[in-house]
Amino acid sequence: MLSASFDDFMKLVDGIEGDIARAATEAMFVTALSTRDELRDQTRSVGLGDRMPDTWTARAYPDGEKNSINPAGLVWSRAPDIMDAFTRGATIRPIGGAQFLWIPTANVPRARTRSGRIRGNGQRPQRLASGAITPEECESRFNTDFVMRRGRAGRLLAFMDLVAGRARRGGSNVRAATRRRVAAGREPKLTLMFVLTRSVTMPKLFDLDASAGRWVARFEQALDARLPQA
């Protein structure tokens, strides 16, 4: 004849529940990191540079040494607006009554300590993560005004009369056409700095729903591998 006290039974239940909670929390932590790494790989593979992939981060709850039968995980980007645009394929238009977005070319120097910006025509700059200096900063740095030309499809092209120079950190290989440089035989040439367009359509590069679906499948597999086997 077998017998057991109610206290012994509850200890057994608590032990089983603790094992399940530990397994579920560990599985959520592992799969949240796996999903983060997948999104980082996606971002890197579509050519968004070296910094943008690292904006994806992940957390699992409860954190620390606590466990839960119903853990939660969160994966997000520290550049949500940019990632949202590439997820939906959004169209970006100027704001504040502006007519154009100013899109920098590779000839525009890069900012060292902050994100770059583009602006609407005659308006204050709008922040972008491109890293290029603003048109106003460009005019100040080269001490010259833009020379505007009409482009295709209603676009405008903003040139500057500059001389060639060695590329420095920041990517730009053009310099101001100072008297000394011109006297040294460095001929000024019209250099394309910005393309002005009325809108920009971001391509759809990410499928977050598919990544979420794979997260669920990974969690189920990770949980099954960690549950106590009968």
Side-chain angles (χ1 to χ4, degrees):
M1 182 175 179
L2 299 176
S3 64
S5 68
F6 180 76
D7 289 342
D8 291 337
F9 175 75
M10 291 306 300
K11 288 180 180 179
L12 176 62
V13 171
D14 290 343
I16 295 174
E17 183 175 302
D19 290 340
I20 295 174
R22 188 178 304 107
T25 304
E26 290 178 358
M28 182 60 70
F29 177 78
V30 169
T31 53
L33 292 182
S34 297
T35 303
R36 178 205 66 185
D37 292 343
E38 176 186 328
L39 291 171
R40 286 182 174 181
D41 290 342
Q42 281 190 40
T43 307
R44 192 172 289 109
S45 68
V46 298
L48 291 184
D50 297 326
R51 291 185 176 182
M52 198 60 64
D54 291 337
T55 66
W56 288 108
T57 188
R59 291 285 298 274
Y61 303 93
D63 53 8
E65 297 183 359
K66 297 180 180 179
N67 298 308
S68 172
I69 289 181
N70 296 304
L74 179 63
V75 178
W76 74 97
S77 171
R78 295 190 300 275
D81 292 339
I82 296 174
M83 293 304 179
D84 180 63
F86 282 115
T87 299
R88 296 185 293 109
T91 297
I92 300 175
R93 294 182 175 86
I95 61 175
Q99 298 182 30
F100 294 95
L101 299 171
W102 289 60
I103 310 301
T105 69
N107 297 317
V108 178
R110 318 299 278 183
R112 295 183 179 180
T113 59
R114 55 153 177 75
S115 297
R117 302 168 183 173
I118 60 177
R119 69 173 181 180
N121 189 25
Q123 302 296 318
R124 293 180 62 82
Q126 298 169 253
R127 182 173 292 274
L128 280 186
S130 64
I133 64 175
T134 69
E136 289 87 352
E137 291 169 331
C138 203
E139 289 177 322
S140 176
R141 177 171 298 192
F142 293 110
N143 193 29
T144 188
D145 296 327
F146 290 110
V147 178
M148 308 302 296
R149 296 285 188 270
R150 290 192 178 277
R152 297 180 179 179
R155 297 184 180 92
L156 295 178
L157 307 177
F159 292 86
M160 278 186 167
D161 213 15
L162 305 173
V163 300
R166 290 182 298 177
R168 297 176 182 174
R169 183 178 181 180
S172 178
N173 63 347
V174 290
R175 301 291 177 267
T178 61
R179 291 182 179 179
R180 185 175 65 178
R181 288 168 179 162
V182 173
R186 297 165 70 175
E187 181 181 359
K189 295 182 179 179
L190 283 179
T191 304
L192 181 61
M193 306 300 286
F194 290 88
V195 176
L196 283 69
T197 183
R198 297 185 185 277
S199 65
V200 175
T201 299
M202 314 290 279
K204 184 176 179 179
L205 300 179
F206 307 111
D207 188 347
L208 299 186
D209 290 338
S211 296
R214 285 188 287 271
W215 184 354
V216 172
R218 290 193 193 105
F219 175 75
E220 292 175 350
Q221 294 173 359
L223 177 60
D224 185 64
R226 288 168 172 77
L227 287 175
Q229 302 298 315

